[in-house]
Every structure is written in C-alpha cells, then in structure tokens.
Amino acid sequence: MRGKFITLEGIDGAGKSTHHAWLVAELQRRGHTVVQTREPGGTPLGEKLRELLLHEPMHLETEALLMFAARREHLAQVIEPALARGDWVVCDRFTDASYAYQGGGRGLPWAKLQALEQWVHPHVSPDLTLLFDVPLEVAQARMAAAAREADRFEQEKMDFHARVRAAYHARAADEPARIRVIDGSRTLDQVKTQLEETIASVCS
Ligand SMILES: Nc1ncnc2c1ncn2[C@@H]1O[C@H](COP(=O)(O)OP(=O)(O)O)[C@@H](O)[C@H]1O
Ligand SMILES: Cc1cn([C@H]2C[C@H](O)[C@@H](COP(=O)(O)OP(=O)(O)O)O2)c(=O)[nH]c1=O
C-alpha cells in the first residue's frame, strides 16, 4: 500500500523543525517506516540549490524555478520511491511554501505557481499538511532568542512575513481537509498534544 505524505508548513520560527523529529518518532511508534526530509533540499543536488536559494540574491522567478527544480529532483529521488515502497514521508515544507513565500511574500502570480505545480507534480499532493501558526511577534522573538544567523528569507521585513502568513491562511481556508492549523504559540507539550490529536484523526 502506498505510504502517506505529510508536510510541515508555517512562517519562519513557527516551530516546524522543533517538532519534526518528534513527529517522525511518533509515526514510527505507530508502526510506520518513515522518511524524514526537507525542502528546499532533501537530495545532494537539492541541498546545493538550497545554499543558493538561502544566500544568493536572485530574480523572484529564478527563485520560484529553483524551488521547483529542487522539488523535481526530490520527488524523483526520494519522495516518490518512498511512497511507492509504502514508507511514510514527513517533509519540512513543500509546494504550499512556494505559494506562501514566492506567491504571498514576493508577489509572484499564483497562476505561474499553479503552472509549475502542474508541471512538476500533477499527481502528487500531501495527504496531510500541518500548518504551524504563530503571530509574527512570537516567531520573531523565538528566532531572536535562538540567535541563529538569518537567511535571505528570515532577513525580510515584517510585512513580508505577514503576507506569507496570510497566504498560508488563505490556502488553509481553501483546503481545510488537507491543511490542519496547529496553534504553535502554545507550550511545547500543548503543541505535541495538538499534533497527536490531528494524526490520530487523519492517519488512523
Ligand atoms: N512551542 C514552543 N514554545 C517555545 N519555544 C518554541 C516552541 N516551538 C519552537 N520553539 C523555539 O523557537 C525557535 C524556532 O523554532 P523552529 O522549530 O526552529 O522553527 P521553524 O523550523 O518553524 O523555523 C527554536 O529556538 C525553538 O526551540
Ligand atoms: C520549500 C520552500 C521554502 N522557502 C523558504 C522558506 C524558508 O525561509 C526557507 C528555508 O526553509 P526552512 O528549512 O524552514 O528554514 P530553517 O532551516 O531556517 O528552518 O526557504 C520558499 O521560499 N519557498 C519554498 O518553496
């Protein structure tokens, strides 16, 4: 039986990375073989593209095309073979991030993103997307506390992140069955409880 494809989304600092390994362990505990991966990246070529995407200035369409180029490789090398084997895939970001960041954040028309999505993965879509939602101030405070070096996206101004968050909300409103909103502003334990409840209701 084909495995399930779960993606994690949200603005920078929302808590995706923090809960990724925990979620993988929880699914393994439930008996699944799980592949843990991320975008942009997930393959040797994809990780090289990630370096460019996070640090090199570029035209916004170049940015969108490279995101989808990395994704094409990731689907071919990792995601599709894993799902075909019956493994579950938990991926930190996928195409919803392109709509949120390149579409919402940078203003690339959604029609162009839809064309790329249709080209690159017409038949693959996440079974479940966990959208970690936090107010911008909470995300910024957490990233400041973590004192990590900001990449090209994290350096963007508040209004950019506000547009990214709004685009995520719009997608969640359009696809409520697939995109489940997790209140990431709660404590770590409370976030895990929400994740457990969502997995139990969707993945049983
Ligand atoms: N629910 C939470 N409560 C308090 N701090 C959190 C919570 N979730 C994440 N953090 C902290 O916030 C920072 C950013 O989290 P991270 O998981 O790296 O975000 P993302 O991967 O979504 O950018 C980290 O230092 C992490 O420890
Ligand atoms: C997958 C994807 C990511 N991104 C951006 C969002 C993030 O700011 C950045 C890297 O993602 P991420 O791995 O979440 O960063 P971090 O390692 O800091 O947790 O890439 C896009 O703009 N479009 C996309 O399609």
Side-chain angles (χ1 to χ4, degrees), residues 11-19 142 146 148 184 186-188 191:
I11 60 173
D12 293 282
K16 297 175 309 301
S17 311
T18 303
H19 296 94
R142 284 182 186 168
R148 68 187 188 201
R186 303 290 182 87
T187 65
L188 294 173
V191 172

Side-chain angles (χ1 to χ4, degrees), residues 27-115:
L27 293 172
Q28 286 168 335
R29 197 183 62 75
R30 290 165 176 259
H32 304 293
T33 303
V34 185
V35 173
Q36 177 174 355
T37 189
R38 69 169 179 181
E39 289 204 351
T43 65
L45 176 62
E47 291 295 326
K48 287 185 183 168
L49 293 173
R50 178 187 177 92
E51 270 307 299
L52 295 173
L53 281 160
L54 296 195
H55 303 293
E56 238 6 86
M58 63 184 76
H59 188 278
L60 81 96
E61 292 192 350
T62 310
E63 186 177 285
L65 288 163
L66 287 182
M67 290 290 179
F68 275 93
R71 185 162 297 136
R72 185 68 197 90
E73 195 66 15
H74 195 203
L75 282 156
Q77 302 289 342
V78 177
I79 298 174
E80 297 200 46
L83 296 174
R85 289 196 296 274
D87 294 355
W88 285 36
V89 175
V90 180
C91 188
D92 192 339
R93 300 192 183 281
F94 191 63
T95 296
D96 290 305
S98 300
Y99 282 96
Y101 283 77
Q102 283 65 55
R106 302 240 192 264
L108 189 68
W110 279 38
K112 293 196 172 174
L113 293 161
Q114 283 166 333

